[in-house]
Amino acid sequence: MFKQLQTFKTVFETRNFSQAAEQLFISQPTVSTQIKQLEAELNTTLFTRNGRQEIEPTASGELLYRQAQQLLETWATTKNAVRATSERTKIPVRIGASHTTASLILPGLLKALAPFSDRFDIEMTLANSAEILTQMSQHKLDFGLVEKPLVTDDLNRLAFGHDELVHAGDFTSPLWLLREPNSGVRHYTNAFLKARNIQPDQVMVIHSNQLIADMLAQGVGQTVISRHMVDATVPTETLSANYRRQFYLLTKTTAAKNLAPVQNLITTYLQSWQ
């Protein structure tokens, strides 16, 4: 049943039987068979086809997806707890961080978490804020550090610290260095360009604050970026309070009890971070 639920979850998230098969390393007929078996067991239809490859979940599929996430999470937690007891296996801790929080917060946080490495297997994922939210909602991460006030029913959000964005670089340069569209910095950059009525003639989209900061230090381009990231030699322009943002810790509403020590340490560290 858990294999069927995992297959269903993957099909639901990819909306494609072939892609689900690739991710699960099984054949497409096996995926189709498991979904049919699950539908027979529940006496319902979980997906409808809109075309040769495109599928959409039914109302039953939407409901099962929400429940399946919780069931699979509970099963994974149970397996880890049992293995930790019998085999002294470390408990996995999956932390996702946006690029800005990774640069500013992670070094100190990971240092604080280092003593836990004898009991916990800590894994870091870097992505933009929207991707972190998606992975949290899909139970692929246990904790998320983001710089956008994202909200969902399945997650708690704790505000901490502040960051100041500045206009930085060669202000005469026609080249603008931009983050990808779903990043928190890009949101503020778009607002800045609109407020100044600027339509850049030249643009580079770069998925890394550090790389942008390195280019600015070499005298290449201009952008909106965290003041903490900018080299002291780079010209900066202080912006209004609208460009002062807060960071957020995302946690699950039903957090696993065996992760409580980690969550308590992360929360305590972030609440004192400035």
Side-chain angles (χ1 to χ4, degrees):
M1 178 61 71
F2 285 111
K3 287 184 178 179
Q4 292 176 357
L5 289 176
Q6 183 60 57
T7 298
F8 163 77
K9 178 176 179 290
T10 306
V11 172
F12 185 99
E13 291 172 358
T14 61
R15 299 293 203 272
N16 187 288
F17 279 71
S18 297
Q19 292 181 21
E22 291 178 3
Q23 289 189 19
L24 296 169
F25 299 100
I26 58 179
S27 66
Q28 183 175 335
T30 300
V31 171
S32 299
T33 298
Q34 291 186 13
I35 296 300
K36 289 179 181 178
Q37 291 173 343
L38 196 55
E39 290 178 328
E41 176 71 20
L42 299 173
N43 192 29
T44 190
T45 299
L46 298 173
F47 298 102
T48 58
R49 292 185 178 274
N50 293 334
R52 185 175 181 181
Q53 295 291 334
E54 297 180 358
I55 61 173
E56 289 293 334
T58 62
S60 297
E62 295 277 0
L63 175 60
L64 179 61
Y65 178 72
R66 293 193 294 271
Q67 298 298 323
Q69 287 181 305
Q70 297 179 15
L71 288 169
L72 291 169
E73 183 74 13
T74 300
W75 176 234
T77 301
T78 301
K79 286 195 299 182
N80 290 331
V82 172
R83 289 172 178 171
T85 300
S86 60
E87 304 174 6
R88 295 190 177 183
T89 302
K90 294 182 181 181
I91 301 171
V93 178
R94 303 161 300 175
I95 304 174
S98 67
H99 294 275
T100 299
T101 59
S103 300
L104 302 181
I105 300 166
L106 277 191
L109 177 59
L110 292 179
K111 180 180 179 180
L113 286 171
F116 284 78
S117 59
D118 61 335
R119 290 181 291 155
F120 297 93
D121 188 6
I122 300 173
E123 178 182 347
M124 289 300 315
T125 296
L126 301 186
N128 64 47
S129 295
E131 291 169 346
I132 295 298
L133 176 65
T134 297
Q135 293 189 49
M136 287 287 298
S137 299
Q138 294 177 352
H139 296 255
K140 295 178 180 178
L141 294 173
D142 301 301
F143 305 99
L145 300 173
V146 298
E147 70 270 16
K148 292 176 68 175
L150 306 170
V151 179
T152 180
D153 293 337
D154 299 328
L155 302 175
N156 292 326
R157 188 184 72 188
L158 171 68
F160 70 93
H162 290 88
D163 182 34
E164 180 189 1
L165 296 174
V166 295
H167 178 203
D170 178 2
F171 301 146
T172 65
S173 173
L175 176 63
W176 279 82
L177 308 177
L178 307 179
R179 285 291 308 279
E180 68 276 13
N182 288 330
S183 76
V185 175
R186 180 63 177 271
H187 167 77
Y188 286 96
T189 305
N190 289 343
F192 175 86
L193 294 174
K194 183 177 180 180
R196 299 285 178 95
N197 195 28
I198 298 174
Q199 296 182 345
D201 294 326
Q202 300 176 28
V203 166
M204 281 189 183
V205 177
I206 302 173
H207 294 236
S208 167
N209 285 329
Q210 186 58 59
L211 181 53
I212 291 176
D214 291 342
M215 293 181 69
L216 294 177
Q218 296 179 34
V220 180
Q222 59 179 310
T223 192
V224 172
I225 192 171
S226 169
R227 184 182 291 278
H228 294 286
M229 299 292 300
V230 183
D231 187 89
T233 61
V234 176
T236 60
E237 174 192 0
T238 300
L239 303 178
S240 71
N242 293 331
Y243 295 88
R244 181 178 170 86
R245 58 182 179 167
Q246 197 157 36
F247 294 126
Y248 299 91
L249 168 67
L250 302 179
T251 59
K252 299 175 183 177
T253 54
T254 54
K257 292 182 179 180
N258 57 3
L259 296 183
V262 176
Q263 181 166 338
N264 290 338
L265 186 147
I266 291 176
T267 301
T268 300
Y269 177 86
L270 295 180
Q271 287 178 328
S272 63
W273 186 88
Q274 296 294 334

